[in-house]
Amino acid sequence: MTLRSWAERPARLLATPWWRAVAALAAGALPALAFPAPALWWLAWAALVPWLLLLRSAASARRAALEGWLGGAGFLLAVHHWLLPSLHVFILVLAALLGLLWLPWGLVVHRLLGGAPGPGRVAAALLVVPCGWLLVELVRSWEYLGGPWGLLGASQWQVAPALRLASVGGVWLVGLVLVAVNTALAALLCAPRGRAAAATGLTGCAVLVCGVWLCAPVPALTGTARIAVVQPGIVDGTGSVQHRFDVQEDLTRRLAGQRLDLVVWGESSVGQDLGRRPDLSARLAALSRTVGADLLVNVDARRSDKPGIFKSSVLIGPDGPTGDRYDKMRLVPFGEYVPAREVLGWATSVGKAAGEDRMRGERQVVMRLPDTRGSGLRLGPLVCFESAFPDMTRQLTRDGAQVLVTQSATSTFQDSWAPAQHASLAALRAAETWRPVVHATLTGVSTVADPRGRITGERLGTDRSAAAVYDVPLARGESPYVRAGDWAVYGALAVLAVHCAAEFFRWAAIRGARRGGGPAGG
């Protein structure tokens, strides 16, 4: 076989429908490598290019739609592959259903980049393709469809210029810039007539990032709070719930004398309702007196004052529960409840779906610590999955929270990418809000991010059973994103509305020309 035939072989394979389907799945999965644990963040700036090139080369719009769907399914499977031991075959069903969201995106890419696009179509693609991607992310971010896990912009959690972008327009703005750069690179490769427009788009993205990096405001630091995180690690065997409590109690007791403002335990750190177990309440109050600080624990139990099981952040002072309590509002689909259980209840028989639905809280809560050292620190608690939602941390900041605290577990996914992916969200939420984020876990990755999104202090990995003390920087003021909100989302929706209107009028003009016997081209 000659060198030329080897070079032509990929083109021949991609002319085969089955090989194109495989290529679409693989191309859609590629951006997952930008997220932790691989954390190849730089890959996100070009990871969509193979998928874009595949879509624009589809033989028909129908084929492009199919490959958009397959690529979306591949992306979701790759980003959520660690759910396979829990959901088994059902994860394939979910990926196939949610992958349909990328079907219209495939059509848009094919329409704007297919054939031999000129400067006008390339310029339109630089605007519309990123906005179409954002719309897909926005829809799948609905909590009942799985929530905003694996948003492309979240892959840039350790990139300082991207975090500055997030402080201006949230994770949505970061995602828009990423997809715009990918679109421009694809156009440079496939659209000779539109390369000037593509180069202009790349330059515009660079100017935007540099301009925000140089000119956007930064948080003004106002002091520190001493906050301890207690991570017990894996606790197995009979009586593991009680054993875990004992381990956390012992680790907390070692913090005495360190002049703390707060001690944080992870999600489900207390397995019995404190109203039913006054002995546990008394032990927690004694711990608070020993360390000289309040404890923020998380109770996962059937309530004594309400029907059902709640996951609740509960503040404990030297006299016991202070009355500050936050009940988790956004639950993990299948992990904590089964959507439409009457229809999908069979999922509990093929995986580890929730046997009983957890109950939802009604409102977010800002807790205030006692003014023992002149701080009167205000906390905004979140439970696990909720740290993925930028609107929740934004609302807590607007309500006056000075520190955002996420209580998580991830014990089911200890040896997967999930703990690192979850912990990375602390940096993003901190940058968006100008509020430090304390991410405390039972067995995952515990970490703290400062108001600029930089990771600070000791990082407790999945192999640790320890307590760590952090001098957490505080900041005043509100970030542009907190003040202005989701303007990037509204702008993207406006662009898509204009594009849809233009396509409608184009279609109407072609149809009218055909009826009138005029030329059918457009």
Side-chain angles (χ1 to χ4, degrees), residues 141-492:
S141 293
W142 189 37
E143 59 177 304
Y144 299 104
L145 290 180
W149 192 280
L151 300 183
L152 191 61
S155 65
Q156 306 302 296
W157 64 277
Q158 55 187 332
V159 183
L163 292 174
R164 191 70 61 82
L165 274 178
S167 74
V168 173
V171 65
W172 314 111
L173 180 58
V174 182
L176 283 172
V177 173
L178 278 169
V179 181
V181 169
N182 276 270
T183 306
L185 291 175
L188 284 173
L189 293 173
C190 72
R193 293 173 53 223
R195 281 176 180 160
T200 301
L202 275 178
T203 303
C205 290
V207 169
L208 173 64
V209 172
C210 292
V212 170
W213 172 246
L214 294 173
C215 302
V218 295
L221 301 183
T222 60
T224 59
R226 284 180 63 79
I227 298 177
V229 169
V230 174
Q231 179 175 297
I234 291 291
V235 177
D236 294 320
T238 304
S240 59
V241 173
Q242 185 58 50
H243 185 199
R244 183 171 63 227
F245 187 96
D246 295 339
V247 171
Q248 292 170 121
E249 186 179 38
D250 179 61
L251 290 171
T252 303
R253 194 176 290 113
R254 300 178 194 177
L255 296 169
Q258 299 202 41
R259 294 183 57 79
L260 300 173
D261 294 295
L262 178 69
V263 178
V264 183
W265 289 13
E267 180 189 14
S268 304
S269 49
V270 179
Q272 294 88 22
D273 181 70
L274 296 178
R276 300 177 189 271
R277 293 291 304 273
D279 58 319
L280 293 183
S281 183
R283 287 169 66 178
L284 290 169
L287 276 179
S288 175
R289 293 192 295 271
T290 298
V291 299
D294 282 12
L295 277 62
L296 185 67
V297 302
N298 189 270
V299 179
D300 183 2
R302 195 174 301 279
R303 290 272 287 271
S304 57
D305 56 338
K306 290 183 178 181
I309 302 173
F310 287 80
K311 283 191 175 181
S312 306
S313 301
V314 179
L315 194 62
I316 308 291
D319 299 320
T322 65
D324 288 318
R325 183 186 194 107
Y326 167 66
D327 297 324
K328 186 177 184 181
M329 297 171 61
R330 296 184 181 173
L331 306 178
V332 180
F334 299 98
E336 293 169 335
Y337 78 102
V338 176
R341 185 177 286 272
E342 298 79 6
V343 178
L344 300 176
W346 59 270
T348 60
S349 63
V350 297
K352 299 178 182 178
E356 178 182 350
D357 292 351
R358 278 0 185 218
M359 307 302 290
R360 297 177 184 273
E362 298 176 353
R363 62 184 181 87
Q364 291 187 262
V365 174
V366 174
M367 303 176 179
R368 186 169 190 130
L369 297 181
D371 200 6
T372 54
R373 274 182 278 277
S375 62
L377 199 64
R378 297 184 297 276
L379 310 175
L382 298 163
V383 182
C384 195
F385 175 62
E386 293 180 326
S387 69
F389 291 88
D391 65 302
M392 295 193 76
T393 48
R394 179 170 169 260
Q395 186 59 52
L396 286 170
T397 303
R398 292 175 67 89
D399 289 342
Q402 295 171 283
V403 178
L404 304 172
V405 181
T406 301
Q407 295 174 296
S408 181
T410 63
S411 51
T412 307
F413 313 107
Q414 185 76 351
D415 298 318
S416 72
W417 294 0
Q421 283 187 27
H422 198 183
S424 70
L425 294 175
L428 197 63
R429 299 288 91 85
E432 287 174 339
T433 60
W434 286 3
R435 295 295 180 268
V437 175
V438 176
H439 182 86
T441 70
L442 286 183
T443 62
V445 175
S446 295
T447 189
V448 172
D450 74 7
R452 291 192 183 186
R454 299 171 298 193
I455 301 301
T456 182
E458 183 181 11
R459 179 180 181 271
L460 300 180
T462 55
D463 59 337
R464 297 290 301 279
S465 176
V469 178
Y470 300 87
D471 288 313
V472 179
L474 305 177
R476 65 171 180 267
E478 293 182 342
S479 70
Y481 175 63
V482 169
R483 292 196 302 269
D486 294 323
W487 61 268
V489 172
Y490 301 136

Side-chain angles (χ1 to χ4, degrees), residues 52 55-56 61 64-65 68 101-114 121 124-133 135-136 183 495-496 499-500 503:
L52 291 166
L55 293 171
R56 57 89 48 193
L101 294 173
W102 275 272
L103 188 150
W105 186 73
L107 289 172
V108 167
V109 174
H110 184 263
R111 164 75 183 90
L112 295 176
L113 291 180
R121 271 208 283 157
L126 291 173
L127 285 175
V128 178
V129 171
C131 294
W133 180 276
L135 180 60
V136 173
T183 306
V495 168
L496 290 174
H499 175 70
C500 289
E503 287 295 301

